[in-house]
Amino acid sequence: MEDLLKVGVITTTHGVRGEVKVFPTTDEAERFLELDYVLLDTGRELRKLEIQNVKFFKNLAILKFKGIDNINDIEMYKGRDLWIPREEGQELEEGEYYVADLIGMNVLLEDGTVFGTLKDVMETGANDVYVIDTKDRGEVLLPAIRECILDVNVEESTMTVHLMKGLL
C-alpha cells in the first residue's frame, strides 16, 4: 500500500496571482476544502504547499497556495501531481477502496485460478470498470458490480471475480 494518495493534477494557471486550476482525482472536488496542505511532485522532490483558498469552476478546483503570489512561481508545475499522506485520506465505507490499493492486484476466478492483474480503474457514470491484464485474452474489462466482483482482499492484494456470461 502506498504512503501517499493522489488528489489532483495541476492543469493550468488561473490569473496572474499564483492560483492554479486542479483536476481532482478524488471522488469529490469539495475534498480540497478539508485539506490544509498538499504535496507537489516537482519532479525532483515533494514540496509541501499550504492551501490558502479554494474555489470551484466546472469540474475543477482553483487553489491558491500560501507564499505563491505570482504566476511565474507556479507556472512551471503545470501537469504535476498533487498528493496527500494516506493518513490524511478520507475514512472509507465498507466495500470502498483507494484505487492505489487496487492497482496491481492479482485477479482470481471463483475456482482460485489466476485470471490476470488489475491494471487500471476506469470511472464511468454508473459504476467503475476494472481493466484486467490477462495472458490469454489481453485486456478484459469487468464492471465493478457485486455480480462480478466477489471479494477484494487488500491485505493479500487479491480480487476474486465471477465472469458473467457475455463478458469475454
Coordinates of all heavy atoms in Angstrom, one line a residue, residues 16-111:
V16 N -3.1 35.9 -12.6 CA -1.6 36.2 -12.5 C -1.1 36.2 -11.1 O 0.0 36.5 -10.8 CB -1.3 37.6 -13.1 CG1 -1.6 37.5 -14.6 CG2 -2.1 38.7 -12.5
R17 N -2.0 35.8 -10.1 CA -1.6 35.9 -8.7 C -1.2 34.6 -8.1 O -1.3 34.4 -6.9 CB -2.8 36.5 -7.9 CG -3.0 38.0 -8.3 CD -3.8 38.7 -7.3 NE -3.9 40.1 -7.6 CZ -4.9 40.7 -8.2 NH1 -5.9 40.0 -8.6 NH2 -4.9 42.0 -8.4
G18 N -0.9 33.6 -8.9 CA -0.4 32.3 -8.4 C -1.4 31.3 -8.2 O -1.1 30.2 -7.7
E19 N -2.7 31.5 -8.6 CA -3.7 30.4 -8.5 C -3.5 29.4 -9.6 O -3.0 29.7 -10.7 CB -5.1 31.0 -8.5 CG -5.4 31.9 -7.3 CD -6.8 32.5 -7.5 OE1 -7.2 33.0 -8.5 OE2 -7.6 32.3 -6.5
V20 N -3.9 28.2 -9.3 CA -3.9 27.1 -10.3 C -5.2 26.4 -10.4 O -6.0 26.3 -9.4 CB -2.8 26.1 -10.0 CG1 -1.4 26.7 -10.2 CG2 -2.9 25.5 -8.6
K21 N -5.5 25.9 -11.6 CA -6.7 25.0 -11.8 C -6.2 23.6 -11.6 O -5.2 23.2 -12.2 CB -7.3 25.2 -13.2 CG -7.9 26.5 -13.4 CD -8.5 26.7 -14.8 CE -9.2 28.0 -15.0 NZ -9.7 28.2 -16.4
V22 N -7.0 22.8 -10.8 CA -6.6 21.5 -10.5 C -7.7 20.5 -10.9 O -8.8 20.7 -10.5 CB -6.3 21.3 -9.0 CG1 -6.0 19.9 -8.6 CG2 -5.1 22.2 -8.6
F23 N -7.3 19.5 -11.6 CA -8.3 18.4 -11.9 C -8.2 17.4 -10.8 O -7.2 16.8 -10.5 CB -7.9 17.7 -13.3 CG -8.9 16.6 -13.6 CD1 -10.2 16.9 -14.1 CD2 -8.6 15.3 -13.3 CE1 -11.1 15.9 -14.4 CE2 -9.4 14.3 -13.6 CZ -10.7 14.6 -14.1
P24 N -9.3 17.3 -10.0 CA -9.3 16.4 -8.9 C -9.3 14.9 -9.3 O -10.0 14.5 -10.2 CB -10.6 16.7 -8.1 CG -11.4 17.7 -8.9 CD -10.6 18.0 -10.2
T25 N -8.5 14.1 -8.6 CA -8.5 12.7 -8.9 C -9.2 12.0 -7.7 O -9.0 10.8 -7.5 CB -7.1 12.2 -9.1 OG1 -6.3 12.5 -8.0 CG2 -6.5 12.7 -10.4
T26 N -9.9 12.7 -6.9 CA -10.7 12.1 -5.8 C -12.2 12.1 -6.3 O -12.6 12.7 -7.3 CB -10.6 13.0 -4.5 OG1 -11.2 14.3 -4.8 CG2 -9.2 13.2 -4.1
D27 N -13.0 11.4 -5.5 CA -14.4 11.3 -5.8 C -15.1 12.6 -5.8 O -16.0 12.9 -6.5 CB -15.1 10.3 -4.9 CG -14.8 8.9 -5.2 OD1 -14.2 8.6 -6.3 OD2 -15.1 8.0 -4.4
E28 N -14.7 13.5 -4.8 CA -15.4 14.8 -4.6 C -14.4 15.9 -4.7 O -13.5 15.9 -3.9 CB -16.1 14.7 -3.3 CG -17.1 13.6 -3.2 CD -17.7 13.5 -1.8 OE1 -17.5 14.4 -1.0 OE2 -18.3 12.5 -1.5
A29 N -14.6 16.9 -5.5 CA -13.7 18.0 -5.6 C -13.8 18.8 -4.3 O -12.8 19.5 -3.9 CB -14.1 18.9 -6.8
E30 N -14.9 18.8 -3.6 CA -15.0 19.5 -2.3 C -14.1 19.0 -1.3 O -13.9 19.7 -0.2 CB -16.5 19.4 -1.8 CG -17.5 20.1 -2.6 CD -17.9 19.4 -3.9 OE1 -17.7 18.1 -4.0 OE2 -18.3 20.0 -4.9
R31 N -13.4 17.9 -1.5 CA -12.4 17.4 -0.6 C -11.3 18.4 -0.3 O -10.7 18.4 0.8 CB -11.8 16.1 -1.2 CG -10.7 15.5 -0.5 CD -11.1 14.8 0.7 NE -10.0 14.1 1.3 CZ -9.4 14.6 2.4 NH1 -9.8 15.6 3.0 NH2 -8.3 13.9 2.9
F32 N -11.0 19.3 -1.3 CA -10.0 20.3 -1.1 C -10.3 21.3 0.0 O -9.4 21.9 0.5 CB -9.7 21.0 -2.5 CG -8.9 20.1 -3.4 CD1 -9.6 19.5 -4.5 CD2 -7.5 20.0 -3.3 CE1 -8.9 18.7 -5.4 CE2 -6.8 19.2 -4.2 CZ -7.5 18.5 -5.2
L33 N -11.6 21.4 0.3 CA -11.9 22.4 1.4 C -11.5 21.8 2.7 O -11.3 22.6 3.6 CB -13.5 22.6 1.4 CG -14.1 23.3 0.2 CD1 -15.6 23.2 0.2 CD2 -13.6 24.7 0.2
E34 N -11.3 20.5 2.9 CA -10.9 19.9 4.1 C -9.4 19.8 4.3 O -8.9 19.5 5.4 CB -11.5 18.5 4.2 CG -13.0 18.5 4.1 CD -13.5 17.1 3.9 OE1 -12.8 16.1 4.1 OE2 -14.7 16.9 3.5
L35 N -8.7 20.1 3.2 CA -7.2 19.9 3.3 C -6.5 21.2 3.7 O -6.9 22.3 3.3 CB -6.7 19.5 1.9 CG -7.1 18.1 1.4 CD1 -6.6 17.9 0.0 CD2 -6.7 17.0 2.3
D36 N -5.5 21.1 4.5 CA -4.7 22.2 4.9 C -3.5 22.4 4.0 O -3.0 23.5 3.8 CB -4.1 22.0 6.4 CG -5.2 22.0 7.4 OD1 -6.2 22.8 7.2 OD2 -5.1 21.2 8.4
Y37 N -3.0 21.3 3.4 CA -1.9 21.3 2.5 C -1.9 20.2 1.5 O -2.7 19.2 1.7 CB -0.6 21.3 3.3 CG -0.3 19.9 4.0 CD1 0.4 19.0 3.3 CD2 -0.8 19.7 5.2 CE1 0.7 17.7 3.9 CE2 -0.6 18.4 5.8 CZ 0.1 17.5 5.2 OH 0.3 16.3 5.8
V38 N -1.1 20.3 0.5 CA -0.9 19.2 -0.5 C 0.6 19.1 -0.7 O 1.4 20.0 -0.4 CB -1.6 19.4 -1.8 CG1 -3.1 19.3 -1.7 CG2 -1.2 20.7 -2.4
L39 N 1.0 18.0 -1.2 CA 2.4 17.8 -1.6 C 2.5 17.8 -3.1 O 1.9 17.0 -3.8 CB 2.9 16.4 -1.0 CG 2.8 16.2 0.5 CD1 3.2 14.8 0.9 CD2 3.8 17.2 1.2
L40 N 3.3 18.8 -3.6 CA 3.5 18.9 -5.0 C 4.7 18.1 -5.5 O 5.8 18.2 -4.9 CB 3.7 20.4 -5.4 CG 4.2 20.8 -6.8 CD1 3.1 20.5 -7.8 CD2 4.6 22.2 -6.9
D41 N 4.5 17.2 -6.5 CA 5.6 16.5 -7.1 C 6.3 17.4 -8.1 O 5.7 17.6 -9.2 CB 5.0 15.2 -7.7 CG 6.1 14.4 -8.4 OD1 7.3 14.8 -8.3 OD2 5.8 13.3 -9.0
T42 N 7.4 17.9 -7.7 CA 8.1 18.9 -8.6 C 8.9 18.1 -9.7 O 9.5 18.8 -10.6 CB 9.1 19.7 -7.8 OG1 10.1 18.9 -7.2 CG2 8.4 20.5 -6.7
G43 N 9.0 16.8 -9.6 CA 9.8 16.0 -10.5 C 11.1 15.6 -9.8 O 11.7 14.6 -10.2
R44 N 11.5 16.4 -8.8 CA 12.8 16.0 -8.0 C 12.4 15.7 -6.6 O 13.1 14.9 -6.0 CB 13.7 17.2 -8.0 CG 14.3 17.5 -9.4 CD 15.3 18.6 -9.3 NE 15.6 19.1 -10.6 CZ 15.9 20.4 -10.9 NH1 15.9 21.3 -9.9 NH2 16.1 20.8 -12.1
E45 N 11.4 16.4 -6.1 CA 11.0 16.2 -4.7 C 9.6 16.4 -4.5 O 8.9 16.9 -5.4 CB 11.8 17.2 -3.8 CG 11.5 18.6 -4.2 CD 12.3 19.7 -3.4 OE1 13.1 19.3 -2.5 OE2 12.1 20.9 -3.6
L46 N 9.1 16.2 -3.3 CA 7.7 16.6 -2.9 C 7.8 17.9 -2.1 O 8.5 17.9 -1.1 CB 7.1 15.5 -2.0 CG 6.8 14.2 -2.8 CD1 6.2 13.1 -1.8 CD2 5.8 14.4 -3.9
R47 N 7.1 18.9 -2.6 CA 7.1 20.2 -1.9 C 5.8 20.4 -1.2 O 4.7 20.3 -1.9 CB 7.4 21.3 -3.0 CG 7.4 22.7 -2.4 CD 7.7 23.6 -3.6 NE 7.5 25.0 -3.1 CZ 7.4 26.1 -3.9 NH1 7.6 25.9 -5.2 NH2 7.2 27.3 -3.4
K48 N 5.8 20.7 0.1 CA 4.6 20.9 0.8 C 4.1 22.3 0.5 O 4.8 23.3 0.7 CB 4.9 20.8 2.3 CG 3.7 20.9 3.2 CD 4.0 20.6 4.6 CE 2.8 20.8 5.5 NZ 3.1 20.5 6.9
L49 N 2.8 22.4 0.1 CA 2.2 23.7 -0.2 C 1.0 23.9 0.7 O 0.1 23.0 0.6 CB 1.8 23.8 -1.7 CG 2.9 23.7 -2.7 CD1 2.4 23.7 -4.1 CD2 3.9 24.9 -2.5
E50 N 0.9 24.9 1.5 CA -0.2 25.2 2.3 C -1.3 25.8 1.5 O -1.1 26.8 0.7 CB 0.1 26.1 3.5 CG 1.0 25.4 4.5 CD 1.3 26.3 5.7 OE1 0.3 26.8 6.3 OE2 2.4 26.5 6.0
I51 N -2.5 25.3 1.6 CA -3.7 25.8 0.9 C -4.2 27.1 1.6 O -4.6 27.0 2.7 CB -4.8 24.7 0.7 CG1 -4.2 23.6 -0.1 CG2 -6.0 25.3 0.0 CD1 -5.1 22.4 -0.2
Q52 N -4.3 28.1 0.8 CA -4.8 29.4 1.4 C -6.2 29.6 1.0 O -7.0 30.1 1.9 CB -4.0 30.6 0.8 CG -4.4 31.9 1.3 CD -3.4 33.0 0.8 OE1 -2.2 32.8 0.7 NE2 -4.0 34.1 0.4
N53 N -6.6 29.2 -0.2 CA -8.0 29.4 -0.6 C -8.4 28.4 -1.7 O -7.6 27.9 -2.4 CB -8.1 30.8 -1.3 CG -9.6 31.2 -1.5 OD1 -10.5 30.8 -0.8 ND2 -9.8 32.0 -2.5
V54 N -9.7 28.0 -1.7 CA -10.2 27.0 -2.6 C -11.5 27.6 -3.2 O -12.4 28.1 -2.5 CB -10.5 25.7 -1.9 CG1 -11.1 24.7 -2.9 CG2 -9.3 25.1 -1.2
K55 N -11.6 27.5 -4.6 CA -12.8 27.9 -5.3 C -13.0 26.7 -6.3 O -12.2 25.9 -6.5 CB -12.6 29.2 -6.1 CG -12.3 30.4 -5.2 CD -12.2 31.7 -6.0 CE -10.9 31.8 -6.8 NZ -10.7 33.1 -7.4
F56 N -14.2 26.8 -6.9 CA -14.5 25.7 -7.9 C -15.0 26.3 -9.1 O -15.7 27.4 -9.1 CB -15.6 24.8 -7.3 CG -15.1 24.1 -6.0 CD1 -15.5 24.6 -4.8 CD2 -14.3 23.0 -6.1 CE1 -15.0 24.0 -3.6 CE2 -13.8 22.4 -4.9 CZ -14.2 22.9 -3.7
F57 N -14.7 25.7 -10.3 CA -15.1 26.1 -11.6 C -15.3 24.9 -12.4 O -14.4 24.2 -12.7 CB -14.1 27.1 -12.2 CG -14.5 27.5 -13.6 CD1 -15.5 28.4 -13.8 CD2 -13.8 27.0 -14.7 CE1 -15.8 28.8 -15.1 CE2 -14.2 27.4 -16.0 CZ -15.2 28.3 -16.2
K58 N -16.6 24.7 -12.8 CA -17.0 23.4 -13.5 C -16.5 22.2 -12.7 O -16.8 22.1 -11.6 CB -16.5 23.5 -14.9 CG -17.1 24.6 -15.8 CD -16.7 24.6 -17.2 CE -17.3 25.7 -18.0 NZ -16.9 25.8 -19.3
N59 N -15.7 21.4 -13.4 CA -15.2 20.2 -12.7 C -13.8 20.4 -12.1 O -13.2 19.4 -11.7 CB -15.2 19.0 -13.6 CG -14.2 19.2 -14.8 OD1 -13.9 20.3 -15.1 ND2 -13.8 18.1 -15.4
L60 N -13.4 21.6 -12.0 CA -12.0 21.9 -11.5 C -12.0 22.6 -10.1 O -13.0 23.3 -9.8 CB -11.2 22.7 -12.5 CG -11.1 22.2 -13.9 CD1 -10.4 23.2 -14.8 CD2 -10.2 20.9 -13.8
A61 N -11.0 22.4 -9.3 CA -10.8 23.2 -8.1 C -9.7 24.2 -8.5 O -8.8 24.0 -9.2 CB -10.3 22.3 -7.0
I62 N -9.9 25.4 -8.0 CA -9.0 26.5 -8.1 C -8.3 26.7 -6.8 O -9.0 27.1 -5.8 CB -9.6 27.8 -8.7 CG1 -10.2 27.5 -10.0 CG2 -8.6 28.9 -8.8 CD1 -11.1 28.7 -10.6
L63 N -7.0 26.5 -6.7 CA -6.3 26.6 -5.5 C -5.3 27.7 -5.4 O -4.7 28.0 -6.4 CB -5.5 25.3 -5.2 CG -6.2 23.9 -5.2 CD1 -5.3 22.8 -4.9 CD2 -7.4 24.0 -4.2
K64 N -5.2 28.4 -4.3 CA -4.3 29.4 -4.0 C -3.4 28.9 -2.8 O -3.9 28.5 -1.8 CB -5.0 30.7 -3.6 CG -4.1 31.8 -3.1 CD -3.3 32.4 -4.3 CE -2.5 33.6 -3.8 NZ -1.2 33.3 -3.4
F65 N -2.1 28.9 -3.0 CA -1.2 28.5 -2.0 C -0.5 29.6 -1.3 O -0.2 30.7 -1.9 CB -0.1 27.6 -2.6 CG -0.7 26.4 -3.3 CD1 -0.5 26.2 -4.7 CD2 -1.3 25.3 -2.6 CE1 -1.0 25.1 -5.4 CE2 -1.8 24.2 -3.3 CZ -1.7 24.1 -4.7
K66 N -0.3 29.5 0.0 CA 0.4 30.5 0.8 C 1.8 30.7 0.2 O 2.5 29.7 -0.1 CB 0.5 30.1 2.2 CG -0.8 30.2 2.9 CD -0.7 29.8 4.4 CE -2.1 29.9 5.0 NZ -2.1 29.4 6.4
G67 N 2.3 31.9 0.1 CA 3.6 32.2 -0.4 C 3.8 32.2 -1.9 O 4.9 32.5 -2.4
I68 N 2.8 31.8 -2.6 CA 2.9 31.8 -4.1 C 1.9 32.8 -4.6 O 0.7 32.6 -4.6 CB 2.6 30.4 -4.7 CG1 3.7 29.4 -4.2 CG2 2.6 30.5 -6.2 CD1 3.5 28.0 -4.7
D69 N 2.5 34.0 -4.9 CA 1.6 35.1 -5.3 C 1.8 35.6 -6.7 O 1.3 36.7 -7.0 CB 1.9 36.3 -4.3 CG 1.7 35.9 -2.8 OD1 0.6 35.3 -2.6 OD2 2.5 36.1 -2.0
N70 N 2.6 34.9 -7.5 CA 2.9 35.3 -8.8 C 2.8 34.1 -9.8 O 3.2 33.0 -9.4 CB 4.3 35.8 -8.8 CG 4.7 36.4 -10.1 OD1 4.5 35.8 -11.2 ND2 5.2 37.7 -10.1
I71 N 2.2 34.3 -10.9 CA 2.1 33.3 -11.9 C 3.4 32.6 -12.3 O 3.5 31.4 -12.5 CB 1.4 33.8 -13.2 CG1 1.0 32.7 -14.2 CG2 2.3 34.8 -13.9 CD1 0.2 33.1 -15.4
N72 N 4.5 33.3 -12.2 CA 5.8 32.8 -12.6 C 6.3 31.8 -11.5 O 7.1 30.9 -11.8 CB 6.8 33.9 -12.7 CG 6.5 34.8 -13.9 OD1 6.0 34.4 -14.9 ND2 6.7 36.1 -13.7
D73 N 5.8 31.9 -10.3 CA 6.2 30.9 -9.2 C 5.6 29.5 -9.4 O 6.1 28.6 -8.8 CB 5.9 31.5 -7.9 CG 6.6 32.8 -7.6 OD1 7.7 33.0 -8.2 OD2 6.1 33.6 -6.7
I74 N 4.5 29.5 -10.1 CA 3.8 28.2 -10.2 C 3.6 27.6 -11.6 O 3.4 26.5 -11.8 CB 2.4 28.4 -9.5 CG1 1.7 27.0 -9.1 CG2 1.4 29.2 -10.3 CD1 2.3 26.3 -7.9
E75 N 3.8 28.5 -12.6 CA 3.6 28.1 -14.0 C 4.3 26.8 -14.4 O 3.9 26.0 -15.2 CB 3.9 29.3 -14.9 CG 3.4 29.0 -16.3 CD 3.5 30.3 -17.2 OE1 4.4 31.1 -16.9 OE2 2.6 30.4 -18.0
M76 N 5.6 26.7 -13.9 CA 6.4 25.6 -14.3 C 5.9 24.2 -13.8 O 6.4 23.2 -14.2 CB 7.8 25.8 -13.7 CG 7.9 25.7 -12.2 SD 9.5 26.3 -11.6 CE 9.1 28.0 -11.3
Y77 N 4.8 24.2 -12.9 CA 4.3 23.0 -12.4 C 3.0 22.5 -13.1 O 2.4 21.6 -12.5 CB 4.1 23.1 -10.9 CG 5.4 23.4 -10.1 CD1 5.6 24.6 -9.4 CD2 6.5 22.6 -10.2 CE1 6.8 24.9 -8.8 CE2 7.7 22.8 -9.6 CZ 7.8 24.0 -8.8 OH 9.0 24.3 -8.2
K78 N 2.7 23.1 -14.2 CA 1.6 22.6 -15.0 C 1.8 21.1 -15.3 O 2.9 20.7 -15.7 CB 1.4 23.3 -16.3 CG 0.9 24.7 -16.2 CD 0.7 25.3 -17.6 CE 0.8 26.8 -17.6 NZ 0.7 27.3 -18.9
G79 N 0.7 20.3 -15.1 CA 0.8 18.9 -15.4 C 1.4 18.0 -14.2 O 1.4 16.8 -14.3
R80 N 1.7 18.7 -13.1 CA 2.3 18.0 -12.0 C 1.2 17.5 -11.0 O 0.1 18.1 -10.9 CB 3.3 18.9 -11.2 CG 4.5 19.2 -12.0 CD 5.4 18.0 -12.2 NE 6.6 18.4 -12.9 CZ 7.6 17.5 -13.0 NH1 7.4 16.3 -12.6 NH2 8.6 17.9 -13.7
D81 N 1.5 16.4 -10.3 CA 0.5 15.8 -9.4 C 0.6 16.4 -8.1 O 1.6 16.9 -7.6 CB 0.9 14.3 -9.3 CG 0.7 13.5 -10.6 OD1 -0.1 14.0 -11.5 OD2 1.3 12.5 -10.8
L82 N -0.6 16.4 -7.4 CA -0.7 16.8 -6.0 C -1.1 15.6 -5.2 O -2.0 14.8 -5.5 CB -1.8 17.9 -5.9 CG -1.5 19.2 -6.6 CD1 -2.7 20.1 -6.5 CD2 -0.3 19.9 -6.2
W83 N -0.4 15.4 -4.0 CA -0.6 14.2 -3.2 C -0.9 14.6 -1.8 O -0.6 15.8 -1.4 CB 0.7 13.4 -3.2 CG 1.2 12.9 -4.5 CD1 1.8 13.6 -5.5 CD2 0.9 11.7 -5.1 NE1 2.1 12.9 -6.6 CE2 1.5 11.7 -6.4 CE3 0.3 10.5 -4.7 CZ2 1.5 10.5 -7.2 CZ3 0.3 9.4 -5.5 CH2 0.8 9.4 -6.8
I84 N -1.4 13.7 -1.0 CA -1.5 13.9 0.5 C -1.1 12.6 1.1 O -1.1 11.5 0.5 CB -3.0 14.2 0.9 CG1 -3.9 13.0 0.5 CG2 -3.5 15.5 0.4 CD1 -5.3 13.1 1.1
P85 N -0.6 12.6 2.4 CA -0.3 11.4 3.1 C -1.5 10.6 3.3 O -2.7 11.1 3.4 CB 0.2 11.9 4.4 CG 0.6 13.3 4.2 CD -0.3 13.8 3.1
R86 N -1.4 9.3 3.3 CA -2.5 8.3 3.4 C -3.3 8.6 4.6 O -4.6 8.6 4.6 CB -2.0 6.9 3.4 CG -3.1 5.9 3.6 CD -2.6 4.5 3.6 NE -2.3 4.1 2.2 CZ -3.2 3.6 1.4 NH1 -4.4 3.5 1.7 NH2 -2.8 3.2 0.1
E87 N -2.7 9.0 5.7 CA -3.4 9.2 7.0 C -4.3 10.5 6.9 O -5.2 10.7 7.7 CB -2.5 9.3 8.2 CG -1.4 10.4 8.1 CD -0.1 9.8 7.5 OE1 -0.1 8.7 6.9 OE2 0.9 10.5 7.5
E88 N -4.1 11.3 5.9 CA -5.0 12.5 5.7 C -6.2 12.1 4.8 O -7.0 12.9 4.6 CB -4.2 13.6 5.0 CG -3.0 14.2 5.8 CD -3.4 15.0 7.0 OE1 -4.5 15.7 6.9 OE2 -2.7 15.0 8.0
G89 N -6.2 10.9 4.3 CA -7.3 10.5 3.4 C -8.6 10.3 4.1 O -8.6 10.2 5.3
Q90 N -9.6 10.3 3.4 CA -11.0 10.1 4.0 C -11.2 8.7 4.5 O -10.6 7.7 3.9 CB -12.0 10.4 2.9 CG -12.1 11.9 2.6 CD -13.2 12.2 1.6 OE1 -13.3 11.6 0.5 NE2 -14.1 13.1 1.9
E91 N -12.0 8.6 5.5 CA -12.4 7.3 6.0 C -13.3 6.6 4.9 O -14.1 7.2 4.3 CB -13.3 7.4 7.3 CG -12.5 7.9 8.5 CD -11.6 6.7 9.0 OE1 -12.1 5.6 9.1 OE2 -10.5 7.0 9.4
L92 N -13.0 5.4 4.7 CA -13.7 4.6 3.6 C -14.8 3.8 4.3 O -14.7 3.3 5.4 CB -12.8 3.7 2.9 CG -11.6 4.4 2.1 CD1 -10.7 3.3 1.5 CD2 -12.2 5.3 1.1
E93 N -15.9 3.7 3.6 CA -17.0 2.9 4.0 C -16.7 1.4 3.6 O -15.8 1.2 2.8 CB -18.3 3.3 3.2 CG -18.7 4.7 3.4 CD -19.3 5.0 4.8 OE1 -20.0 4.1 5.3 OE2 -19.1 6.1 5.3
E94 N -17.4 0.5 4.2 CA -17.2 -0.9 3.8 C -17.5 -1.1 2.3 O -18.4 -0.6 1.8 CB -18.1 -1.8 4.6 CG -17.8 -3.3 4.4 CD -18.6 -4.2 5.4 OE1 -18.9 -3.7 6.5 OE2 -18.8 -5.3 5.0
G95 N -16.6 -1.8 1.7 CA -16.7 -2.0 0.2 C -16.1 -0.9 -0.6 O -16.2 -1.0 -1.8
E96 N -15.5 0.1 0.0 CA -14.8 1.2 -0.7 C -13.3 1.0 -0.6 O -12.9 0.5 0.5 CB -15.2 2.6 -0.2 CG -16.6 3.0 -0.4 CD -16.9 4.4 0.0 OE1 -16.3 4.8 1.1 OE2 -17.7 5.1 -0.6
Y97 N -12.6 1.3 -1.7 CA -11.2 1.1 -1.7 C -10.5 2.3 -2.4 O -11.1 2.9 -3.3 CB -10.8 -0.2 -2.4 CG -11.6 -1.4 -1.9 CD1 -12.7 -1.8 -2.6 CD2 -11.1 -2.1 -0.8 CE1 -13.4 -2.9 -2.1 CE2 -11.9 -3.2 -0.3 CZ -13.0 -3.5 -1.0 OH -13.7 -4.6 -0.5
Y98 N -9.3 2.6 -2.0 CA -8.5 3.5 -2.8 C -8.0 2.8 -4.0 O -7.6 1.7 -4.0 CB -7.3 4.0 -1.9 CG -7.6 4.9 -0.8 CD1 -7.4 4.5 0.5 CD2 -8.3 6.1 -1.0 CE1 -7.7 5.4 1.6 CE2 -8.6 7.0 0.0 CZ -8.3 6.6 1.3 OH -8.6 7.4 2.4
V99 N -8.1 3.5 -5.1 CA -7.6 3.0 -6.4 C -6.2 2.5 -6.3 O -5.8 1.5 -6.8 CB -7.8 4.0 -7.6 CG1 -7.2 3.5 -8.8 CG2 -9.3 4.3 -7.8
A100 N -5.4 3.3 -5.6 CA -3.9 2.9 -5.4 C -3.8 1.6 -4.8 O -2.8 0.9 -5.1 CB -3.2 4.0 -4.6
D101 N -4.7 1.1 -4.0 CA -4.6 -0.2 -3.3 C -5.1 -1.3 -4.3 O -4.7 -2.5 -4.1 CB -5.5 -0.2 -2.1 CG -5.0 0.7 -1.0 OD1 -3.8 1.1 -1.0 OD2 -5.8 1.0 -0.1
L102 N -5.9 -1.0 -5.3 CA -6.4 -2.0 -6.2 C -5.4 -2.3 -7.4 O -5.3 -3.4 -7.8 CB -7.7 -1.5 -6.8 CG -8.8 -1.3 -5.8 CD1 -10.1 -0.8 -6.5 CD2 -9.2 -2.6 -5.1
I103 N -4.7 -1.2 -7.9 CA -3.8 -1.4 -9.0 C -2.7 -2.4 -8.6 O -2.1 -2.4 -7.6 CB -3.1 -0.1 -9.4 CG1 -4.2 1.0 -9.7 CG2 -2.2 -0.3 -10.6 CD1 -5.1 0.7 -10.9
G104 N -2.5 -3.4 -9.5 CA -1.5 -4.4 -9.3 C -2.0 -5.7 -8.6 O -1.3 -6.7 -8.5
M105 N -3.3 -5.7 -8.2 CA -3.9 -6.9 -7.5 C -3.9 -8.1 -8.4 O -4.1 -7.9 -9.6 CB -5.3 -6.6 -7.1 CG -5.4 -6.0 -5.8 SD -7.2 -6.0 -5.2 CE -6.9 -5.5 -3.6
N106 N -3.7 -9.2 -7.9 CA -3.9 -10.5 -8.6 C -5.4 -10.8 -8.7 O -6.1 -10.7 -7.6 CB -3.2 -11.7 -7.9 CG -1.7 -11.5 -8.0 OD1 -1.1 -11.2 -9.0 ND2 -1.0 -11.8 -6.9
V107 N -5.9 -11.0 -9.9 CA -7.3 -11.3 -10.0 C -7.5 -12.8 -10.2 O -6.9 -13.4 -11.1 CB -7.9 -10.5 -11.3 CG1 -9.3 -10.8 -11.5 CG2 -7.6 -9.0 -11.1
L108 N -8.3 -13.4 -9.4 CA -8.5 -14.8 -9.4 C -10.0 -15.1 -9.8 O -10.9 -14.3 -9.5 CB -8.3 -15.4 -8.0 CG -7.0 -15.0 -7.3 CD1 -7.0 -15.5 -5.8 CD2 -5.8 -15.6 -8.0
L109 N -10.2 -16.2 -10.4 CA -11.5 -16.7 -10.7 C -12.1 -17.4 -9.5 O -11.3 -17.7 -8.5 CB -11.5 -17.7 -11.9 CG -11.0 -17.0 -13.3 CD1 -10.9 -18.1 -14.3 CD2 -11.9 -15.9 -13.7
E110 N -13.4 -17.7 -9.6 CA -14.0 -18.3 -8.4 C -13.4 -19.6 -8.0 O -13.3 -19.9 -6.8 CB -15.5 -18.6 -8.8 CG -16.3 -17.4 -9.0 CD -17.6 -17.8 -9.7 OE1 -17.7 -17.9 -10.9 OE2 -18.6 -17.9 -8.9
D111 N -12.8 -20.4 -8.9 CA -12.2 -21.6 -8.5 C -10.7 -21.5 -8.0 O -10.0 -22.4 -7.8 CB -12.2 -22.6 -9.7 CG -11.4 -22.1 -10.9 OD1 -10.7 -21.1 -10.8 OD2 -11.5 -22.8 -12.0

